[in-house]
Amino acid sequence: KQEVTQIPAALSVPEGENLVLNCSFTDSAIYNLQWFRQDPGKGLTSLLLIQSSQREQTSGRLNASLDKSSGRSTLYIAASQPGDSATYLCASNDYKLSFGAGTTVTVRA
Amino acid sequence: DGGITQSPKYLFRKEGQNVTLSCEQNLNHDAMYWYRQDPGQGLRLIYYSQIVNDFQKGDIAEGYSVSREKKESFPLTVTSAQKNPTAFYLCASSNGLAGTYEQYFGPGTRLTVT
């Protein structure tokens, strides 16, 4: 059974600092890995999807990397802003999504 | 606007009552999913459906039931057999079940049972 872990559970940084969010998974036989953002009391918004054949994916200030052999993915958010404050979830896809518990980010103005 | 709608946003029920959560999508997606989210935990899969009139149990299906009579609709019933029904419920859909397909999520329904 796939186990997905996100460390740390919470992170607080001053505005402008770069964010590094970690995700690890136990079974490397995945089709893809997806990063989501969740605001309090809301649904999930897809940020990036990395196919198993890719090493990274970029969208604006966001960059996600994937290393299947080591079972790790990292989400980088450059020049953080208070609007980036949210919970970030990663999920591996091996025909169904397995989610980590998330990292709650607070960006201080 | 294409998307997934869930209703209601908040739902309150007394213990022992069945309750049905609505999920509708107009993305023309084949696959649909129901997840449950509890504080401090990742989402857990309850049921999923790849095509109309077919659905499969996820990791925590006990106490729940679903139907898939139309492509765009996938309602979830929380029965009185579910021991801890209070949670945030999220519906999702994707173009296909496995492989490269991205999942899209609805806004969620928060169910409180007292």
Side-chain angles (χ1 to χ4, degrees), chain A residues 8 19 37 42 57 65 82 94-95 106:
Chain A
L19 285 164
R37 169 184 171 137
K42 305 289 187 184
Q57 191 69 256
S65 65
D94 56 358
Y95 92 82
T106 303

Side-chain angles (χ1 to χ4, degrees), chain A residues 23-25 28 30 33 50 52 54-56 64-74:
Chain A
C23 172
S24 62
F25 47 95
S28 62
I30 62 172
L33 186 134
I50 315 173
S52 61
Q54 296 176 313
R55 297 282 295 185
E56 65 179 289
S65 65
L66 175 64
D67 184 344
K68 278 181 55 179
S69 60
S70 67
R72 294 181 189 277
S73 177
T74 302

Side-chain angles (χ1 to χ4, degrees), chain B residues 33-88:
Chain B
Y33 314 80
W34 274 105
Y35 294 90
R36 169 185 173 134
Q37 186 177 34
D38 294 284
Q41 296 189 37
L43 277 68
R44 292 181 290 168
L45 182 64
I46 305 173
Y47 267 99
Y48 61 98
S49 168
Q50 190 173 3
I51 56 172
V52 173
N53 292 323
D54 183 65
F55 45 83
Q56 305 295 328
K57 292 181 179 180
D59 300 322
I60 55 164
E62 186 175 347
Y64 299 98
S65 66
V66 293
S67 63
R68 186 88 186 276
E69 297 176 2
K70 298 186 294 183
K71 186 176 183 178
E72 60 270 24
S73 179
F74 191 40
L76 173 74
T77 296
V78 184
T79 75
S80 57
Q82 168 49 233
K83 295 192 186 328
N84 296 297
T86 294
F88 189 47

Side-chain angles (χ1 to χ4, degrees), chain A residues 1 31-32 34 36 38 41-49 51 89 93-102, chain B residues 9 33 35 37 40-45 48 59 88 90 97-108 110:
Chain A
K1 180 176 182 275
Y31 291 109
N32 57 58
Q34 214 168 338
F36 297 88
Q38 186 176 32
K42 305 289 187 184
L44 275 63
T45 300
S46 180
L47 298 174
L48 290 168
L49 181 146
Q51 302 295 354
L89 298 158
N93 184 4
D94 56 358
Y95 92 82
K96 66 179 180 71
L97 291 184
S98 297
F99 283 84
Chain B
K9 186 173 182 179
Y33 314 80
Y35 294 90
Q37 186 177 34
Q41 296 189 37
L43 277 68
R44 292 181 290 168
L45 182 64
Y48 61 98
D59 300 322
F88 189 47
L90 289 155
L97 183 60
T100 62
Y101 304 108
E102 189 170 357
Q103 283 197 21
Y104 297 87
F105 283 77
R110 185 166 299 280

